[in-house]
Amino acid sequence: MEPINRTLSKMMNVPKFKERYEMLKQELLNEPQIRSFIAANPELTEAEIEKSLPKLFEYKSQVRDCNECGSVEQCKNMMQGYHPVLIKSRNYIDIKYEACEMKIKSDAKKKHAERIKSLFMPRDVLEASFDKLDEAMHDSHDEDREAAIRRALDFVENYENKRSANGLYLYGPFGVGKTYIMGAIANRLAEKGISSLIVYSPEFFREMKNSIGDQTLQEKLETVKKVPILIFDDLGAETMTSWTRDEILGVILQYRMMEKLPTLYTSNYDYDELEEHLAYSQKNGIERVKAKRIMERIRHLTDSSFVGGKNRRN
């Protein structure tokens, strides 16, 4: 088999091929980024540039694909999410690949999402922000709602600065935005690299009960106990049993109290109403002492705020 360089040498002696080759070469060297790179490296000789033409062709095709790219998922480059950068390597021009701006943003978004774990929560809550709350607050002129949002911001600031941060207990009627405020807290903390878990209480307790059968109860319980920020959404909407209250909720809150891990809540009930709800279980009737024990942990480790206003779900 004839060596490829000898074949190319012969082809270069064919007038039409040589003419076409020179035209493509000049087009390539006139690419703005390639021209700028060569100008910035005047020590490159003609022979070195000639030797580098395959890499320059690769660079041109990859840059073209980058310019036409709409997202990391649509990336056509050899390394998805990476764009080519020209470098000088010994006596020729080479390429290295670096993460593009879209990949950097995409990776940051994924890390952000990973910091907010959720069980049974709607997407709009996971995308909540204080910026949107500010806009809504200016429109509503609702003093209770404004006070709740200020307390939420205070919680974030205190937690960020490692000051003692009690949890929050937001209560009020349906649809006034209690859960959305909690979502905004979780997102603001995620921006700072702080993980949180938001759980919809009725589905969470049902999930824990079902976990007995597949023997994953302890594993799930450990996760919820130890997450840096735990948010119980709609506490009080579940059907309460002694087991749910004492072996799940009580165990979680006891651990978090001992480890000084903040727990946040939303509920339709105020403290007294929630205590009444916790006191009643389907099988054992009224158990006020056990309910009071749970409520002592909630009362002393949270700041309570009423959230009023119109039902925003309608």
Side-chain angles (χ1 to χ4, degrees), residues 14-191:
V14 178
K16 286 187 177 179
F17 179 84
K18 186 175 182 180
E19 183 181 328
R20 177 66 177 159
Y21 177 83
E22 286 298 327
M23 185 179 72
L24 290 173
K25 174 182 171 182
Q26 288 309 310
E27 282 181 7
L28 181 66
L29 297 180
N30 281 327
E31 287 288 321
Q33 290 158 306
I34 294 175
R35 191 170 65 242
S36 296
F37 180 83
I38 292 173
N41 294 273
E43 70 278 9
L44 285 166
T45 66
E46 285 292 327
E48 289 170 343
I49 293 172
E50 190 78 24
K51 183 180 174 182
S52 305
L53 289 179
K55 284 292 183 182
L56 295 177
F57 275 110
E58 178 187 326
Y59 174 80
K60 180 183 177 181
S61 70
Q62 297 289 286
V63 167
R64 182 187 65 234
D65 288 340
C66 278
N67 292 336
E68 297 171 356
C69 185
S71 68
V72 174
E73 291 72 24
Q74 296 172 346
C75 178
K76 298 177 182 177
N77 283 355
M78 290 185 293
M79 296 175 63
Q80 194 175 58
Y82 289 81
H83 68 104
V85 177
L86 292 173
I87 60 171
K88 189 169 179 294
S89 178
R90 296 184 182 178
N91 58 345
Y92 69 100
I93 301 170
D94 202 355
I95 296 173
K96 69 174 180 178
Y97 284 87
E98 296 179 346
C100 69
E101 186 176 345
M102 277 191 288
K103 178 169 175 56
I104 292 169
K105 288 181 179 178
S106 175
D107 288 349
K109 188 174 181 180
K110 285 177 183 175
K111 283 184 181 178
H112 179 97
E114 286 168 1
R115 291 189 185 111
I116 306 175
K117 306 269 189 253
S118 69
L119 296 175
F120 321 107
M121 297 304 300
R123 176 173 291 185
D124 64 325
V125 171
L126 301 180
E127 296 174 352
S129 71
F130 280 111
D131 290 337
K132 292 177 184 175
L133 281 171
D134 285 341
E135 293 172 11
M137 191 165 64
H138 290 313
D139 294 337
S140 69
H141 304 293
D142 186 302
E143 291 184 6
D144 289 329
R145 183 178 173 79
E146 290 178 19
I149 293 171
R150 281 196 297 272
R151 279 199 166 174
L153 284 166
D154 287 343
F155 170 81
V156 172
E157 182 182 348
N158 287 335
Y159 191 86
E160 279 182 69
N161 295 314
K162 303 189 185 312
R163 294 196 289 265
S164 177
N166 256 6
L168 289 179
Y169 186 90
L170 303 185
Y171 70 97
F174 295 103
V176 293
K178 303 183 296 295
T179 305
Y180 194 92
I181 294 172
M182 292 300 184
I185 291 173
N187 272 305
R188 180 64 64 86
L189 291 173
E191 291 170 6

